[in-house]
Amino acid sequence: MTSDGSAPREGTYQYRWVADELRKEINSGVHRPGERLPTQEELAARFHVSRATVSQALSLLRKEELIVTRQGSGSFVASDPGDGRQVPSPTESPESGVWAVVSERVTPVLLRPYLVEAFEANVVKLDVFSMTTESLAARVVDQKDRIVAREIPPPRSIAARLLLPNTESTALAIPRQVADEDDPRVRARLGGILHSHVTMLRNALFELRRLKLVEEVDVQVRLVPFSPQMKLYILNNRVVLQGFYIPEEGIATLPDGEEVATYDAFGTGATLYPFRAAADSTPEQAGVVRAARKFFDATWENLATRATF
């Protein structure tokens, strides 16, 4: 997900930008579970868009199960993961195209509460495979602030391994221009976004060591020559959060100011799916955690190269 926070001028994509901004606020806790969102009129005025654009953005967030809309009352942040879920009837045949098996114990979540939990451990370990670490960097800064403010005891150690796409590779599936197989400027834009958020994350963690609050801090970054198809967080070797990058057409503003149509994965703060290896977890959940760790370790050791920044 390579949003840089700027609003697209192309009206076709403005609703995605509005949805993206609201996702970030939900993920960071600006809008808390059960809280009513501003009215469509207020959102339209804030983002300088039409009510129709706001309506499209809210519709997208409802489909992602981040909000629910109550007739006559407005839109609210989902109180529980999957609040707005419509589960297809299991009596439908698979051939009908609407039948699905839904695991009641694997519900969609956001990153923040799981990262809060991870940083309350004595030993913090973060293994992350993502496009830019944009969501992660902001949440890590939040946890750094909690430690500095003595809201939580500082952990003894923090180790982070970050797997990211090599923006010098011409094999990246996304982001890329709609009208061209490869454009170095599009990759350079991704590289700038990626570098800024890795720097933010590194600075936050090493500040804890500089302040002598955390004894051991280690941040390693490796690059792979392809775009991740999903974002993967492995927290303290016990919790796996997995989300998917959905390629969509949008407008990117290049460093020289030119706007080009690109295929990219938008939506910082998107919904993730959790799996936990614990005494009370199902065998399936524990199995996913083990498989995710093997996948990450094998990719880290065999396919990734050390980043130069």
Side-chain angles (χ1 to χ4, degrees):
M1 300 175 182
T2 59
S3 166
D4 62 0
S6 59
R9 297 175 189 174
E10 180 79 23
T12 306
Y13 304 103
Q14 281 189 325
Y15 78 95
R16 293 178 184 167
W17 169 69
V18 173
D20 197 32
E21 294 301 302
L22 291 174
R23 278 194 210 94
K24 292 177 186 178
E25 293 179 357
I26 292 171
N27 193 40
S28 64
V30 173
H31 303 298
R32 304 187 67 83
E35 180 181 313
R36 184 179 182 275
L37 293 178
T39 65
Q40 290 191 18
E41 291 85 352
E42 291 168 335
L43 291 173
R46 173 188 164 189
F47 292 114
H48 306 289
V49 297
S50 67
R51 279 194 60 186
T53 296
V54 171
S55 179
Q56 282 183 290
L58 295 178
S59 177
L60 186 57
L61 295 179
R62 279 195 299 273
K63 289 179 182 178
E64 295 170 359
E65 302 172 355
L66 292 180
I67 67 170
V68 293
T69 299
R70 299 167 191 161
Q71 190 67 32
S73 299
S75 295
F76 298 78
V77 179
S79 297
D80 297 301
D83 234 8
R85 175 177 302 172
Q86 298 296 319
V87 181
S89 169
T91 60
E92 298 283 355
S93 67
E95 290 76 14
S96 70
V98 297
W99 182 87
V101 176
V102 178
S103 171
E104 298 289 344
R105 306 186 74 174
V106 183
T107 51
V109 299
L110 298 173
L111 174 60
R112 183 177 180 273
Y114 281 84
L115 207 60
V116 166
E117 175 190 322
F119 269 78
E120 291 175 354
N122 188 42
V123 175
V124 178
K125 184 174 182 181
L126 313 174
D127 286 340
V128 178
F129 184 27
S130 75
M131 189 75 76
T132 64
T133 74
E134 182 173 356
S135 298
L136 178 69
R139 304 289 75 75
V140 165
V141 170
D142 292 342
Q143 300 317 304
K144 181 266 295 184
D145 291 342
R146 292 176 72 213
I147 294 170
V148 171
R150 306 287 183 173
E151 294 178 10
I152 58 173
R156 180 177 61 80
S157 67
I158 303 174
R161 294 191 298 174
L162 310 177
L163 265 178
L164 301 166
N166 186 343
T167 57
E168 295 183 1
S169 171
T170 60
L172 297 188
I174 55 173
R176 65 175 48 229
Q177 268 209 58
V178 172
D180 188 13
E181 289 190 358
D182 177 63
D183 186 332
R185 300 173 303 165
V186 174
R187 289 188 281 107
R189 174 181 178 272
L190 171 63
I193 297 170
L194 182 155
H195 189 277
S196 66
H197 289 104
V198 169
T199 301
M200 180 193 304
L201 185 150
R202 287 170 56 94
N203 289 347
L205 294 182
F206 282 112
E207 182 180 353
L208 293 173
R209 190 175 71 178
R210 181 182 63 81
L211 295 173
K212 301 186 183 305
L213 292 172
V214 178
E215 181 181 343
E216 300 174 18
V217 174
D218 181 41
V219 180
Q220 298 183 51
V221 183
R222 293 191 183 183
L223 307 176
V224 291
F226 50 85
S227 305
Q229 301 301 297
M230 64 177 182
K231 59 168 38 181
L232 177 69
Y233 301 97
I234 306 174
L235 309 180
N236 296 346
N237 281 332
R238 291 188 173 274
V239 173
V240 164
L241 304 175
Q242 177 183 319
F244 296 94
Y245 286 113
I246 310 299
E248 294 184 295
E249 187 175 340
I251 296 294
T253 303
L254 301 178
D256 61 6
E258 181 183 352
E259 293 184 337
V260 296
T262 60
Y263 290 119
D264 203 344
F266 301 91
T268 308
T271 301
L272 303 165
Y273 293 86
F275 304 87
R276 183 186 296 271
D280 60 347
S281 61
T282 66
E284 291 81 6
Q285 287 176 304
V288 169
V289 174
R290 285 193 295 270
R293 288 166 57 179
K294 289 181 179 179
F295 165 80
F296 187 94
D297 289 340
T299 305
W300 181 268
E301 295 296 335
N302 301 324
L303 301 179
T305 57
R306 192 177 302 274
T308 57
F309 57 88

